[in-house]
Amino acid sequence: MARDDISRGEAERLRRLDEAARVTRTFEVIADKGALWVWGDEDEILFTEDARRRTLLPIWPHATVARLENEGDVDGEHAIRIPADVFLRDWLPQLREDDADIAVFPVEEHNATVLTLDEFRARMTAALRMN
């Protein structure tokens, strides 16, 4: 298990939390571990769309929950660790160019919440400051 990973049992427990609890836990874990997880392969990161056709980047607080959500979909895809500071500095400007929002901790295609990039930056900055 990677150093930022959790057991499958713990991941299943987190997946059963309600949306508000998943959001809270996501920001706590990212602030504590200094990283978040996305899904993709060596060439591309997974994006999704919601019912309103907004482009969304799904993020997870642990590799295990990302794997439980995506494993087996496409060969070669895996959880990718992104340091929080790199995400804020490098990824958010690119996501703005891509006109994408953030889907927090999706479970079975149900997002805990969808945040604009500004909302995500504010929540993440506050969480990092509190840690």
Side-chain angles (χ1 to χ4, degrees), residues 38-46 74-80:
V38 297
W39 191 258
D41 62 22
E42 305 316 316
D43 300 317
E44 293 186 38
I45 299 299
L46 171 77
V74 177
D75 284 346
E77 290 185 346
H78 57 277
I80 299 169

Side-chain angles (χ1 to χ4, degrees), residues 7-131:
S7 70
R8 184 180 180 101
E10 177 67 8
E12 291 287 0
R13 186 189 69 74
L14 291 175
R15 286 169 48 94
R16 288 190 298 272
L17 294 173
D18 67 24
E19 286 86 0
R22 290 198 329 260
V23 171
T24 298
R25 189 69 188 134
T26 296
F27 284 101
E28 289 171 351
V29 171
I30 293 171
D32 181 51
K33 301 290 186 184
L36 56 87
W37 295 85
V38 297
W39 191 258
D41 62 22
E42 305 316 316
D43 300 317
E44 293 186 38
I45 299 299
L46 171 77
F47 284 84
T48 62
E49 282 187 347
D50 66 6
R52 295 179 7 209
R53 313 249 332 133
R54 288 183 296 183
T55 300
L56 304 174
L57 174 67
I59 66 156
W60 292 272
H62 299 283
T64 305
V65 290
R67 274 195 299 277
L68 288 174
E69 187 63 23
N70 296 288
E71 225 165 27
D73 287 351
V74 177
D75 284 346
E77 290 185 346
H78 57 277
I80 299 169
R81 184 181 186 275
I82 310 296
D85 61 334
V86 171
F87 192 83
L88 292 172
R89 183 187 67 234
D90 299 340
W91 284 59
L92 287 185
Q94 182 61 51
L95 290 169
R96 189 170 307 282
E97 286 181 24
D98 295 338
D99 196 28
D101 289 326
I102 308 286
V104 177
F105 200 153
V107 172
E108 296 176 7
E109 299 183 20
H110 297 286
N111 302 316
T113 192
V114 173
L115 299 175
T116 67
L117 302 180
D118 292 336
E119 290 168 335
F120 182 86
R121 180 183 295 282
R123 295 276 308 259
M124 192 69 257
T125 301
L128 289 168
R129 236 185 267 125
M130 291 178 63
N131 195 27

